[in-house]
Amino acid sequence: MASLTFLQPLSNLSSPTTLVSLKNPHHIPSFTSLNPSIIPKTRPFKSFTASFSLAESNSPKSLQPNLQPFLQELADSFDLPQDYFAQLPSDLRLDLNDAAFDLSNGRVIDECGQELGETLLNLSRAWEAADTSTSHALARQLPGLEESLTGNAKSAFGKRLVSAGRRFQSMGQYGQGELQKIAKVMITTGRVLSESSTSTVTDEQPKKESRMLKFGELQLELTSDKAIIGAIISVGFGILSWELAQGIQNIPESSLQYANENALMLAKSLRGALLAVCYSSAFLSALTSVGLVLLGRQLKSSKEK
């Protein structure tokens, strides 16, 4: 049997199986040794593709929520019956005016952009005028302004929505709960806008809020310089009131000559009323001057910080 094995051609002896058989006649060749070509090869792990997919899923664009449904729900919440705002009680109308002020106070155009800022201003005017149809028409423009919102504009718009939404929330239950629905949608949308803001400056540094005075359509920002100017004007008005009071007081009563006693009593009453008004104006002007000076110093110190 061994001789037959040595008589095999040399080409057959070159195979690994034949060499193993020569060394060990009792070796039983395994399946893998007979067919080395079908040994399963381990595929290299495609780390580049996996890491690229992971990085793409963690990109800022993929983490930002879709704001369109929130803005659309906000617009739909103002689809109210005709003259709904006009029929609100007087106390709720005051809350509606407060919500309008919170939505558009300050430098709304600078913070939210030209188009959105003007929309918010017009929307607040519609609330102040209790114009329900105009309010709905302006709210329907908000979903179309999503693409124009930058990081800072989203943050400012969100804070204004949350503040105005809390005003609606304070109105309580009225009608079919429309006001509470508006409040919930405004607060939710405002928080989503604030959280989706990509501005690192807004997140790291607290926003310095400016103090504003609003008289109807007129808005005045309080600064230290304006407070000092107001104090100077108040001092001048106080001095004028004091001098006027002194001039009236220096007029002797004996110089008052009238036709009868009734006219004399009326003149004395008017003289006393004028003295009270002038002295009160001088006193209030002094208090106002002191208050404006202190306010100016406070605004100046807060600005330096």
Side-chain angles (χ1 to χ4, degrees):
M1 189 69 179
S3 62
L4 291 176
T5 303
F6 284 108
L7 291 177
Q8 290 181 357
L10 294 176
S11 60
N12 295 336
L13 294 175
S14 62
S15 64
T17 307
T18 307
L19 294 176
V20 173
S21 301
L22 290 174
K23 294 180 180 180
N24 188 5
H26 301 287
H27 172 73
I28 300 175
S30 63
F31 178 77
T32 56
S33 63
L34 294 175
N35 298 282
S37 61
I38 65 172
I39 298 175
K41 297 181 179 180
T42 305
R43 289 189 176 184
F45 182 71
K46 296 182 179 180
S47 58
F48 174 76
T49 305
S51 60
F52 177 78
S53 301
L54 183 60
E56 185 179 4
S57 63
N58 291 332
S59 62
K61 292 184 178 180
S62 62
L63 294 177
Q64 291 183 357
N66 185 13
L67 301 177
Q68 190 72 22
F70 295 96
L71 295 176
Q72 186 62 47
E73 187 179 3
L74 177 63
D76 295 339
S77 64
F78 286 97
D79 188 8
L80 302 171
Q82 190 176 6
D83 297 335
Y84 181 85
F85 288 148
Q87 296 175 0
L88 292 176
S90 58
D91 56 338
L92 297 185
R93 286 285 299 274
L94 293 177
D95 292 335
L96 184 62
N97 291 338
D98 292 338
F101 177 77
D102 290 345
L103 186 68
S104 62
N105 70 325
R107 299 177 297 177
V108 59
I109 295 180
D110 296 336
E111 295 177 0
C112 300
Q114 182 71 27
E115 192 172 1
L116 178 59
E118 291 180 354
T119 302
L120 295 181
L121 285 173
N122 294 329
L123 184 58
S124 65
R125 295 190 185 103
W127 290 355
E128 292 175 350
D131 192 345
T132 308
S133 59
T134 303
S135 174
H136 184 213
L138 292 170
R140 291 173 59 185
Q141 299 177 9
L142 296 178
L145 302 177
E146 178 192 1
E147 296 180 356
S148 63
L149 293 177
T150 60
N152 292 330
K154 288 180 182 179
S155 178
F157 183 31
K159 292 178 180 179
R160 292 174 183 274
L161 283 180
V162 171
S163 180
R166 288 172 179 168
R167 296 289 187 180
F168 277 93
Q169 193 176 36
S170 65
M171 296 182 186
Q173 290 292 337
Y174 179 79
Q176 302 297 325
E178 295 88 352
L179 298 177
Q180 293 304 309
K181 179 182 178 182
I182 293 175
K184 182 179 179 181
V185 174
M186 290 184 71
I187 293 175
T188 302
T189 306
R191 288 174 178 172
V192 171
L193 285 168
S194 299
E195 292 173 358
S196 64
S197 174
T198 57
S199 175
T200 57
V201 178
T202 306
D203 295 335
E204 294 177 359
Q205 298 180 356
K207 179 184 175 182
K208 296 182 179 179
E209 297 182 356
S210 58
R211 299 187 179 185
M212 302 292 299
L213 288 178
K214 184 175 181 181
F215 302 95
E217 299 294 331
L218 178 63
Q219 292 185 0
L220 178 64
E221 181 180 1
L222 289 179
T223 61
S224 58
D225 296 335
K226 292 179 180 179
I228 298 300
I229 294 174
I232 295 173
I233 295 174
S234 181
V235 169
F237 184 76
I239 294 174
L240 180 62
S241 299
W242 181 267
E243 293 295 332
L244 182 60
Q246 291 295 317
I248 295 174
Q249 192 174 10
N250 291 332
I251 299 175
E253 294 184 0
S254 59
S255 63
L256 300 176
Q257 297 179 359
Y258 294 93
N260 50 39
E261 291 293 330
N262 292 332
L264 182 61
M265 293 297 295
L266 180 60
K268 290 182 178 180
S269 299
L270 291 175
R271 181 174 179 269
L274 287 175
L275 286 175
V277 170
C278 292
Y279 281 124
S280 299
S281 298
F283 179 72
L284 292 176
S285 297
L287 290 180
T288 304
S289 301
V290 174
L292 288 175
V293 170
L294 295 177
L295 178 61
R297 294 180 61 182
Q298 182 182 1
L299 292 175
K300 186 176 180 180
S301 60
S302 62
K303 184 179 181 180
E304 291 177 354
K305 291 179 181 180

